[in-house]
Amino acid sequence: MATLINEGKAKQLFTTDDPNVIQVHYMNQATALNGKRKEHIDDKGEVNNQIDSLIFEYLNHLGIATHFIKQLSDSDQLVKKMKMVPLEVVVRNYASGSFQRKFDTEYLLKFEEPVQEFYYKSDRLDDPFINDSQIHALKIATPEQLSTMREQVFKINQALIKLFAASGITLVDFKVEFGFDADGNLILGDEISPDSCRLVDAQTHESLDKDVFRKHTGNVMDGYRTVLSRLEATAK
Ligand code: TMP
């Protein structure tokens, strides 16, 4: 019988018959302000599971190692069990969010090279920015592991820019997480969806991601459904 291993802000993790495989259930829930604001949102779990499955299948196809095994149902998928590295790895192609606030730049200022940042995953500390030297001091990852994650995340960025551009969507920025699989390989885990990316319409710059929920600017599901239908149309 499947047992609940962990419940995060938008997903539940369950055991399966295989100790190296877990079932991820996407919930109809959105949070902001590090979980302090929580709302039920109809269909969000299904739409995010479908977007994430499509993206991870695409990355697996390109030879990028990920935890994703297969989509199981509308709101569930099977993934490899991982020991996660407690880092959020952010890549930015255009200025938005915390970068725009921190450096007071214009919105969607285009960077010549993608910007990469690490944040230490800790709800208690509100996921603070962390640099390489601090990561080494806290023994979170070795220099080689940081290089691997940087190398992988820039490859993932190029692949995602291409995938979204074909659907008329600009990838502004995104966050991913890495972990070790049962064989000790450092591979991509967690999720890639409009919960963890900033996506704007390439023509109108309309927001198609969780910023709509964060900023209360409309119905968040309109953007998520647009992302899914455009990705599905392009994948055909
Ligand atoms: P930021 O501009 O707020 O630092 O966010 C950068 C990107 O990372 C953006 O696409 C949203 C994503 N992100 C998450 O997925 N989870 C988080 O906890 C944070 C802070 C950002």
Side-chain angles (χ1 to χ4, degrees):
M1 205 187 68
T3 310
L4 181 68
I5 306 169
N6 191 18
E7 179 167 323
K9 296 187 184 102
K11 297 189 292 280
Q12 291 172 320
L13 308 182
F14 293 92
T15 56
T16 66
D17 293 341
D18 184 335
N20 291 330
V21 175
I22 58 175
Q23 183 172 339
V24 181
H25 174 71
Y26 281 71
M27 296 188 283
N28 287 337
Q29 185 167 290
T31 63
L33 307 171
N34 214 354
K36 291 184 221 22
R37 183 178 150 222
K38 192 191 275 187
E39 280 178 32
H40 173 94
I41 298 182
D42 282 343
D43 297 341
K44 177 172 172 284
E46 291 186 11
V47 172
N48 263 4
N49 180 41
Q50 288 174 75
I51 294 172
D52 179 87
S53 296
L54 193 150
I55 290 174
F56 271 77
E57 266 166 24
Y58 166 76
L59 294 176
N60 280 350
H61 226 77
L62 291 178
I64 293 169
T66 82
H67 70 157
F68 183 81
I69 300 171
K70 68 169 184 178
Q71 189 179 338
L72 207 55
S73 66
D74 283 348
S75 47
D76 292 75
Q77 56 179 246
L78 289 182
V79 302
K80 290 184 184 175
K81 186 166 183 195
M82 307 252 280
K83 186 175 182 313
M84 298 305 291
V85 177
L87 292 174
E88 300 201 329
V89 189
V90 167
V91 175
R92 304 177 191 273
N93 297 305
Y94 300 83
S96 185
S98 67
F99 186 100
Q100 191 198 348
R101 282 196 298 278
K102 193 169 183 179
F103 300 108
D104 194 20
T105 67
E106 78 181 72
Y107 178 52
L108 300 187
L109 169 75
K110 189 177 189 333
F111 302 130
E112 271 182 33
E113 298 291 331
V115 173
Q116 189 270 315
E117 299 162 0
F118 290 114
Y119 292 85
Y120 178 46
K121 262 183 87 75
S122 164
D123 284 341
R124 188 171 65 84
L125 302 175
D126 255 346
D127 301 344
F129 177 89
I130 189 165
N131 71 18
D132 287 35
S133 166
Q134 292 165 330
I135 290 171
H136 301 152
L138 295 173
K139 298 190 169 25
I140 294 169
T142 65
E144 292 72 27
Q145 289 163 351
L146 287 190
S147 299
T148 302
M149 287 189 271
R150 280 210 173 89
E151 214 174 89
Q152 288 301 303
V153 90
F154 284 129
K155 268 194 205 159
I156 293 162
N157 185 40
Q158 288 313 312
L160 294 182
I161 288 174
K162 218 169 131 192
L163 177 74
F164 285 118
S167 298
I169 295 171
T170 300
L171 176 64
V172 175
D173 58 30
F174 66 98
K175 181 269 305 180
V176 289
E177 296 176 26
F178 290 85
F180 295 94
D181 67 12
D183 300 321
N185 301 307
L186 184 53
I187 64 175
L188 181 68
D190 196 49
E191 114 179 55
I192 300 178
S193 76
D195 271 9
S196 60
C197 301
R198 282 199 180 88
L199 303 166
V200 296
D201 181 278
Q203 300 298 326
T204 65
H205 290 176
E206 180 196 352
S207 218
L208 304 171
D209 59 68
K210 199 172 152 187
D211 267 358
V212 173
F213 175 79
R214 292 188 190 99
K215 297 179 183 168
H216 303 271
T217 50
N219 179 352
V220 70
M221 287 313 297
D222 291 348
Y224 283 43
R225 287 201 182 91
T226 300
V227 171
L228 177 59
S229 63
R230 289 204 203 170
L231 286 176
E232 282 178 339
T234 316
K236 273 183 190 143

